[in-house]
Amino acid sequence: MSLSNQDTSNTPQLAAAVPARFLRLPEVIARVGLRRSAIYQRMSEGRFPRSRSLGPKCVVWVEAEIDDWMHEIVSS
């Protein structure tokens, strides 16, 4: 049975079952087509998903937030 035919009350459970994935800067750059400086400029303006620090030299972005941002850009 396809997801579209299922009861939508199960959707939050399905979303919780998908593990979050972290992206490092080179992968974010490759996905969105922006350079490092443009990403950080847009983050400071609140127009790009914010990064998370996992340690003193480790910055990541949440894949789902990047995907949502890309879908928002395409749909506008």
Side-chain angles (χ1 to χ4, degrees):
M1 180 188 311
S2 72
L3 182 59
S4 62
N5 293 340
Q6 293 177 349
D7 181 10
T8 57
S9 63
N10 291 334
T11 303
Q13 293 172 353
L14 293 175
V18 177
R21 186 166 114 80
F22 295 136
L23 307 176
R24 299 294 301 268
L25 184 59
E27 191 170 357
V28 173
I29 290 170
R31 278 183 173 224
V32 302
L34 296 172
R35 293 181 181 221
R36 178 188 183 280
S37 58
I39 289 170
Y40 280 99
Q41 178 66 38
R42 290 174 189 215
M43 277 176 39
S44 71
E45 297 169 352
R47 299 186 308 133
F48 194 81
R50 68 182 180 87
S51 61
R52 309 305 203 289
S53 177
L54 296 183
K57 293 184 179 184
C58 184
V59 177
V60 297
W61 283 260
V62 177
E63 181 180 40
E65 293 176 2
I66 297 297
D67 290 343
D68 290 346
W69 178 83
M70 290 173 25
H71 291 311
E72 183 180 312
I73 295 297
V74 170
S75 67
S76 60

